[in-house]
Amino acid sequence: MFPALLPTYNRTDVAFVRGEGSYLFAEDGKRYLDFGAGIAVNAFGHANPKLVGALTQQAAKLWHTSNLYRVPGQESLSRKLVDNSFADTVFFTNSGTEATELAIKMARRYHFVNGAPDRFHIVSFEGAFHGRTIAAINAGGNEKYLEGFGPRMAGFDQVPLGDLDALKKVIGPHTAALLIEPIQGEGGVRTMTPEYLRALRNLCDDTGMLLIFDEIQTGVGRTGKFFAYDWLGFTPDIMTVAKGIGGGFPLGAVLATAEAAKGMTVGTHGTTYGGNPLAMAVGNAAIDLVLAPGFLDHVNKVANYLHQQLGALVAGHPAMFESVRGQGLMIGLKMKTPSADFIAAARANGLVVLPAGDNVVRILPPLTLSEEEAREGMDLLSKTASQMEAQKAAAQ
Ligand SMILES: *Cc1c(COP(=O)(O)O)cnc(C)c1O
């Protein structure tokens, strides 16, 4: 019989039923330290009192009105985002992939209103992930996600990450924008040099292309700055945000300069749910938490500890680990042994970590992780590595 639930996921047989801060509790009562945060979503831990309060208060007042009317929460949250970023304007979505869609539409529309309607190609980078809608899988370029869904859509080009010559060959008068994650998430926590990203900015400036940063995973404090571009000393023209901004409530956003957004006039885009009062209540509370004095200092402190300890873990198990990657609390452990086995063994020990491409174990704890919880997580990772090595030695 076909499953009642569409079987597009190969799910792990565990059901979490409750969360508290950095911990998850499964149906059977077992407690887990959460180093996955629902894929960088639960940035403020589970059942955060501020977020729960914001949501439940709003829930008792008004859930939804539609975007035919003013939504006060959108006005305050867009103001906070504009005041604390490069952007002049914000549009709220329900998800990351919808933010990708709008970023693409906005870039194309920008050139359209500039009198260059043929300038609609978006260039992305191998290993990218931008979501699962038709445009987003075409931008992502992952064959596995494209297969069987019709012909490749016109207007998407892809080049190897880090190869400026390949990029220069592909761009031309038809290129509207470059679309890139400042650190690739699903692709395996792949970082690039600031010089490379700067070269992309310069190319855009020289040719009139727009630079779109996909900060759906890197944004909202994940890398130790409000946004990852804050490490770089320059800014994108358009940026997509989701995941952490809602702390677990479905919320995404597109941020843009007034110039990049100038084609998006009345009627050019819309959404029924995007920016609804429930999402805005949570989003406003979440942004207030990230921007509170000391919050990002805490993220960087815990992150530095983890990077240092993970470096030691890798050095201590050279047959198992290759390297530590990433920035802030977006961390990848590049494995030499199968990452799926390590993830399962860690889970048996009460630690949730995530898979990613390139045989990487992804570590994305809540940004509110305490130093003591970070130590506990390191103990569990170290215990898992030692157990697996002992088992392997016994089998030989
Ligand atoms: C998760 C993710 C997306 C897609 O977000 P959804 O909310 O799943 O649609 C897009 N880009 C990046 C970088 C992501 O990490």
mmCIF file of all heavy atoms in Angstrom, residues 95-97 129-131 181 186 214 216-217 243, ligand 1:
data_model
loop_
_atom_site.group_PDB
_atom_site.id
_atom_site.type_symbol
_atom_site.label_atom_id
_atom_site.label_comp_id
_atom_site.label_asym_id
_atom_site.label_seq_id
_atom_site.Cartn_x
_atom_site.Cartn_y
_atom_site.Cartn_z
ATOM 1 N N SER A 95 8.862 30.696 3.620
ATOM 2 C CA SER A 95 9.899 29.675 3.529
ATOM 3 C C SER A 95 11.104 30.234 2.798
ATOM 4 O O SER A 95 11.037 31.318 2.190
ATOM 5 C CB SER A 95 9.372 28.463 2.755
ATOM 6 O OG SER A 95 9.119 28.841 1.410
ATOM 7 N N GLY A 96 12.172 29.435 2.824
ATOM 8 C CA GLY A 96 13.383 29.816 2.113
ATOM 9 C C GLY A 96 13.200 29.798 0.611
ATOM 10 O O GLY A 96 13.605 30.726 -0.094
ATOM 11 N N THR A 97 12.581 28.738 0.118
ATOM 12 C CA THR A 97 12.488 28.603 -1.336
ATOM 13 C C THR A 97 11.617 29.712 -1.943
ATOM 14 O O THR A 97 11.883 30.182 -3.047
ATOM 15 C CB THR A 97 12.006 27.183 -1.728
ATOM 16 O OG1 THR A 97 12.371 26.929 -3.084
ATOM 17 C CG2 THR A 97 10.514 27.010 -1.542
ATOM 18 N N PHE A 129 22.580 25.016 -2.710
ATOM 19 C CA PHE A 129 21.195 24.626 -2.427
ATOM 20 C C PHE A 129 20.388 25.885 -2.182
ATOM 21 O O PHE A 129 20.739 26.688 -1.318
ATOM 22 C CB PHE A 129 21.108 23.706 -1.204
ATOM 23 C CG PHE A 129 19.690 23.271 -0.916
ATOM 24 C CD1 PHE A 129 19.068 22.317 -1.724
ATOM 25 C CD2 PHE A 129 18.955 23.848 0.119
ATOM 26 C CE1 PHE A 129 17.750 21.941 -1.489
ATOM 27 C CE2 PHE A 129 17.634 23.462 0.358
ATOM 28 C CZ PHE A 129 17.035 22.511 -0.441
ATOM 29 N N HIS A 130 19.307 26.041 -2.947
ATOM 30 C CA HIS A 130 18.487 27.244 -2.797
ATOM 31 C C HIS A 130 17.018 26.934 -2.566
ATOM 32 O O HIS A 130 16.194 27.850 -2.568
ATOM 33 C CB HIS A 130 18.662 28.147 -4.020
ATOM 34 C CG HIS A 130 20.077 28.594 -4.229
ATOM 35 N ND1 HIS A 130 20.748 29.394 -3.320
ATOM 36 C CD2 HIS A 130 20.979 28.317 -5.212
ATOM 37 C CE1 HIS A 130 21.986 29.613 -3.749
ATOM 38 N NE2 HIS A 130 22.154 28.966 -4.889
ATOM 39 N N GLY A 131 16.665 25.646 -2.403
ATOM 40 C CA GLY A 131 15.284 25.277 -2.131
ATOM 41 C C GLY A 131 14.762 24.292 -3.161
ATOM 42 O O GLY A 131 15.503 23.820 -4.031
ATOM 43 N N GLU A 181 25.488 31.219 -1.700
ATOM 44 C CA GLU A 181 25.485 31.128 -0.236
ATOM 45 C C GLU A 181 26.899 31.516 0.237
ATOM 46 O O GLU A 181 27.865 30.918 -0.221
ATOM 47 C CB GLU A 181 25.226 29.693 0.227
ATOM 48 C CG GLU A 181 23.917 29.073 -0.235
ATOM 49 C CD GLU A 181 24.041 27.540 -0.342
ATOM 50 O OE1 GLU A 181 23.900 26.853 0.671
ATOM 51 O OE2 GLU A 181 24.287 27.037 -1.457
ATOM 52 N N GLU A 186 23.815 22.912 2.788
ATOM 53 C CA GLU A 186 23.503 21.525 2.420
ATOM 54 C C GLU A 186 24.659 20.895 1.641
ATOM 55 O O GLU A 186 24.879 19.690 1.720
ATOM 56 C CB GLU A 186 22.229 21.458 1.557
ATOM 57 C CG GLU A 186 21.022 22.178 2.126
ATOM 58 C CD GLU A 186 20.599 21.647 3.484
ATOM 59 O OE1 GLU A 186 20.421 20.437 3.628
ATOM 60 O OE2 GLU A 186 20.472 22.480 4.409
ATOM 61 N N ASP A 214 22.368 34.148 -0.637
ATOM 62 C CA ASP A 214 21.404 33.276 0.029
ATOM 63 C C ASP A 214 21.901 33.068 1.450
ATOM 64 O O ASP A 214 22.819 32.285 1.696
ATOM 65 C CB ASP A 214 21.283 31.947 -0.729
ATOM 66 C CG ASP A 214 20.310 30.976 -0.058
ATOM 67 O OD1 ASP A 214 19.980 31.179 1.125
ATOM 68 O OD2 ASP A 214 19.898 30.003 -0.721
ATOM 69 N N ILE A 216 19.895 32.111 3.906
ATOM 70 C CA ILE A 216 18.817 31.374 4.552
ATOM 71 C C ILE A 216 19.363 30.544 5.718
ATOM 72 O O ILE A 216 18.722 30.431 6.759
ATOM 73 C CB ILE A 216 18.072 30.516 3.503
ATOM 74 C CG1 ILE A 216 17.274 31.446 2.583
ATOM 75 C CG2 ILE A 216 17.168 29.480 4.166
ATOM 76 C CD1 ILE A 216 16.705 30.785 1.336
ATOM 77 N N GLN A 217 20.562 29.998 5.543
ATOM 78 C CA GLN A 217 21.168 29.209 6.627
ATOM 79 C C GLN A 217 22.200 30.017 7.419
ATOM 80 O O GLN A 217 22.333 29.853 8.626
ATOM 81 C CB GLN A 217 21.815 27.952 6.032
ATOM 82 C CG GLN A 217 22.076 26.879 7.063
ATOM 83 C CD GLN A 217 22.286 25.489 6.479
ATOM 84 O OE1 GLN A 217 23.118 24.737 6.923
ATOM 85 N NE2 GLN A 217 21.517 25.124 5.470
ATOM 86 N N LYS A 243 14.883 30.169 7.817
ATOM 87 C CA LYS A 243 15.359 29.344 8.929
ATOM 88 C C LYS A 243 15.363 30.090 10.282
ATOM 89 O O LYS A 243 14.307 30.257 10.869
ATOM 90 C CB LYS A 243 16.726 28.739 8.591
ATOM 91 C CG LYS A 243 16.614 27.765 7.395
ATOM 92 C CD LYS A 243 17.682 26.714 7.358
ATOM 93 C CE LYS A 243 17.292 25.567 6.445
ATOM 94 N NZ LYS A 243 17.764 25.655 5.086
HETATM 95 C C1 LIG B 1 17.112 25.549 3.734
HETATM 96 C C2 LIG B 1 17.662 26.368 2.647
HETATM 97 C C3 LIG B 1 16.868 26.793 1.580
HETATM 98 C C4 LIG B 1 15.428 26.379 1.413
HETATM 99 O O1 LIG B 1 14.610 26.787 2.475
HETATM 100 P P1 LIG B 1 13.162 26.121 2.656
HETATM 101 O O2 LIG B 1 12.577 26.861 3.822
HETATM 102 O O3 LIG B 1 13.386 24.668 2.904
HETATM 103 O O4 LIG B 1 12.400 26.341 1.412
HETATM 104 C C5 LIG B 1 17.449 27.609 0.622
HETATM 105 N N1 LIG B 1 18.743 27.981 0.715
HETATM 106 C C6 LIG B 1 19.530 27.605 1.738
HETATM 107 C C7 LIG B 1 20.936 28.073 1.804
HETATM 108 C C8 LIG B 1 19.025 26.765 2.734
HETATM 109 O O5 LIG B 1 19.820 26.370 3.718
#
